[in-house]
Amino acid sequence: MEQTAMPTPPRARRRGRSQMTRSAEPGQNLHLRVPYITRGVPTYDLLNEEALIRIEATADRILAEIGIEVREDPEAVRLYREAGATVTENATDRWTLKFEPGMLREILKTAPSRFTQHARNPANTVEIGGDATVFAPSYGSPFVMDLDSGRRYGTIADFENLVKLAQSSPWLHHSGGTICEPTDVPVNKRHLDMVYAHMRYSDRAFLGSITAPERAEDSIEMCRILFGSGFVDEHCVIMGNFNTTSPLVLDGVTTAGIRAYAAAGQGSIHLPFLLGGAVSPLTMAGSVAQCLAESMASCALTQLVRPGAPAIFAGFLSSMSLRSGSPTFGTPEPALGSLVMGQLARRLNIPLRCAGNFSTSKLPDGQAMQQSMMSMMSAIQGGANYILHSAGFLDGLLSMSYEKFVMDCDMAGALHSYLKGIEVNYDTLGFEALAQNGPGEHLFGTDHTLRHYQTAYWDSALNDDQPFETWSEQGEIDSAQRANQRWKNILNNYEAPALDPGIDEALRDFIDRKKASMEDAWY
């Protein structure tokens, strides 16, 4: 059921003042700032009805004739079996599950078509689904890079910096999750520091840990401290981003994590990461059919645990270089696949996550932004509701770039204007602007121009639109160099949003106790 009420979480804090002030710097665009985008342009339907039916029929054949393998989670197998799946035990802790055509679609009817994820600052609470679009930073890179220090393993200091950059951008709506891997913190403890960083340095909605069931439980428990147990019991405040193990496998860590989030009434994203020719068919129609099958099977588990639990249908479609076997991102074929994923999500009536600012470039350069725009626009045109990887993605997701982060945020600002669409009324048609001075006269001083000049066009925070001579005289600074200076300025001016000292102390105490309860593990 669609959730329309947006109650205020207990102990919520005000919005950081640094986000609400106007300066003389470019890129303010105050008229475009929203907690999430309500799209004013239609989605693009690429395929006709016959083609969509063929894709759905192939997904049904995959589920009924090949099946999904579930590993090391007998409880998930029990839930699927009781719902009607045919279960065959292959080996110890491995089962093949087959589903009759239409079975998973029937189960997914209880999943909400739109839901609210609450932020600790109610002004930053987001809607996911329907005509709402939410941008979140990139996710999962083991490396970070910037123009000063080059490429290196990510640290918790990098993680905190990237959370701060996301919080400081009005063009992102969500704090994301594993913005980079903090490799200087033990594997079994770093989830605590990452979740805390989102809570302390951002007041937006965020993703929790999914790498082990107990880490998922820790993430939810920390939310109970931040929001209050009663509020968490009744509202979605955190989500987990879960990958299937393609082709056609759900491992026990994944399914146990999905069950943990769903049992608590929290959200989850269900994402096959499909590399064409490696773990899915080379042809995009085949990859899309497989993606549909895997994501439906994963999403359905949430409804078997708790009908009505928020779930996001998802697809990460990628091509590869057939010369080398390396993944390629930002290419046209997966972009077309993302458009089709949008059509399939709307037929399922469930929110969609797909695409983002993807690139295999090793620098924040022309290749990076060309590939990013190809991929990002497919998510925009396809109607994606939650767009992870909206900022920072470089090096085929192996690296999070400080410079590309702010370049992508600037692009996301432009997309706020694009998705707003065009308003057509007496005022916007501008007849009076032409009539005031008549033919042959400029319009700079007309009443219409003076009324609209601050809001008519998106203003970039990064672009250099000056004449060549002026740019040359000022040092011929390129976009990557401008981005380098911008992220440094943002961090220098960053102010953490207020957090109740008692809540902060309780969170730190929880983290200290959890860390003290186990030895460090580095793998």
Side-chain angles (χ1 to χ4, degrees), residues 40-41 417-418 420-430 448 452 455:
V41 299
S417 185
Y418 182 85
K420 193 175 182 180
I422 295 178
E423 184 179 6
V424 180
N425 57 39
Y426 177 83
D427 183 47
T428 63
L429 286 169
H448 185 271
H452 288 284
T455 59

Side-chain angles (χ1 to χ4, degrees), residues 262-273:
Q266 303 307 303
S268 52
I269 303 164
H270 302 263
L271 184 78
F273 188 158

Side-chain angles (χ1 to χ4, degrees), residues 442-471:
H442 70 71
L443 278 64
F444 288 123
T446 65
D447 295 339
H448 185 271
T449 297
L450 294 175
R451 191 163 61 246
H452 288 284
Y453 79 96
Q454 289 186 316
T455 59
Y457 304 133
W458 165 74
D459 181 34
S460 171
L462 276 180
N463 288 352
D464 188 318
D465 298 315
Q466 302 177 100
F468 182 93
E469 291 77 11
T470 305
W471 170 77

Side-chain angles (χ1 to χ4, degrees), residues 368-416:
M369 300 314 291
Q370 175 203 355
Q371 291 177 327
S372 291
M373 183 59 86
M374 172 68 77
S375 180
M376 188 67 164
M377 286 304 293
S378 71
I380 296 298
Q381 296 297 109
N385 304 110
Y386 182 80
I387 306 179
L388 202 60
H389 304 304
S390 292
F393 189 120
L394 210 58
D395 188 25
L397 190 54
L398 290 175
S399 299
M400 171 67 88
S401 163
Y402 278 74
E403 285 81 21
K404 188 163 184 289
F405 194 101
V406 296
M407 293 165 76
D408 286 339
C409 285
D410 199 53
M411 182 201 296
L415 291 173
H416 278 66

Side-chain angles (χ1 to χ4, degrees), residues 219-486:
S219 301
I220 297 166
E221 189 58 34
M222 290 176 72
C223 285
R224 293 191 175 105
I225 296 171
L226 181 66
F227 288 92
S229 294
F231 192 85
V232 173
D233 288 345
E234 297 180 5
H235 303 92
C236 175
V237 300
I238 191 171
M239 297 195 298
N241 183 65
F242 293 95
N243 286 101
T244 58
T245 305
S246 302
L248 307 176
V249 173
L250 286 168
D251 69 77
V253 170
T254 295
T255 53
I258 291 169
R259 291 192 291 104
Y261 277 90
Q266 303 307 303
S268 52
I269 303 164
H270 302 263
L271 184 78
F273 188 158
L274 300 184
L275 177 58
V279 297
S280 69
L282 272 173
T283 47
M284 194 48 58
S287 283
V288 168
Q290 178 183 333
C291 192
L292 174 60
E294 290 188 15
S295 189
M296 282 200 303
S298 184
C299 285
L301 182 56
T302 65
Q303 304 309 297
L304 300 180
V305 172
R306 181 167 172 167
I312 298 178
F313 175 70
F316 193 127
L317 305 170
S318 60
S319 52
M320 74 172 181
S321 169
L322 297 179
R323 296 184 183 90
S324 66
S326 297
T328 51
F329 295 103
T331 52
E333 295 83 9
L336 291 169
S338 292
L339 295 177
V340 180
M341 290 298 292
Q343 292 181 268
L344 295 171
R346 288 188 288 280
R347 291 162 74 89
L348 285 172
N349 198 28
I350 190 168
L352 171 67
R353 179 214 146 177
C354 71
N357 272 315
F358 297 168
S359 177
T360 50
S361 181
K362 314 308 178 287
L363 293 171
D365 57 10
Q367 176 185 332
M369 300 314 291
Q370 175 203 355
Q371 291 177 327
S372 291
M373 183 59 86
M374 172 68 77
S375 180
M376 188 67 164
M377 286 304 293
S378 71
I380 296 298
Q381 296 297 109
N385 304 110
Y386 182 80
I387 306 179
L388 202 60
H389 304 304
S390 292
F393 189 120
L394 210 58
D395 188 25
L397 190 54
L398 290 175
S399 299
M400 171 67 88
S401 163
Y402 278 74
E403 285 81 21
K404 188 163 184 289
F405 194 101
V406 296
M407 293 165 76
D408 286 339
C409 285
D410 199 53
M411 182 201 296
L415 291 173
H416 278 66
S417 185
Y418 182 85
L419 279 165
K420 193 175 182 180
I422 295 178
E423 184 179 6
V424 180
N425 57 39
Y426 177 83
D427 183 47
T428 63
L429 286 169
F431 178 86
E432 66 177 271
L434 293 168
Q436 184 169 338
N437 294 331
E441 299 294 329
H442 70 71
L443 278 64
F444 288 123
T446 65
D447 295 339
H448 185 271
T449 297
L450 294 175
R451 191 163 61 246
H452 288 284
Y453 79 96
Q454 289 186 316
T455 59
Y457 304 133
W458 165 74
D459 181 34
S460 171
L462 276 180
N463 288 352
D464 188 318
D465 298 315
Q466 302 177 100
F468 182 93
E469 291 77 11
T470 305
W471 170 77
S472 181
E473 290 168 2
Q474 293 179 351
E476 301 185 353
I477 306 300
D478 65 23
S479 59
Q481 292 169 308
R482 292 194 298 273
N484 177 267
Q485 188 58 55
R486 181 164 177 78

Side-chain angles (χ1 to χ4, degrees), residues 30-66:
L30 297 182
H31 63 294
L32 295 175
R33 297 191 181 191
V34 288
Y36 58 90
I37 297 171
T38 300
R39 62 183 303 127
V41 299
T43 56
Y44 183 77
D45 291 339
L46 179 68
L47 296 184
N48 61 26
E49 179 72 10
E50 180 183 1
L52 292 171
I53 290 172
R54 286 182 175 180
I55 288 173
E56 290 171 336
T58 300
D60 284 344
R61 281 195 68 198
I62 292 168
L63 293 164
E65 298 177 26
I66 304 172

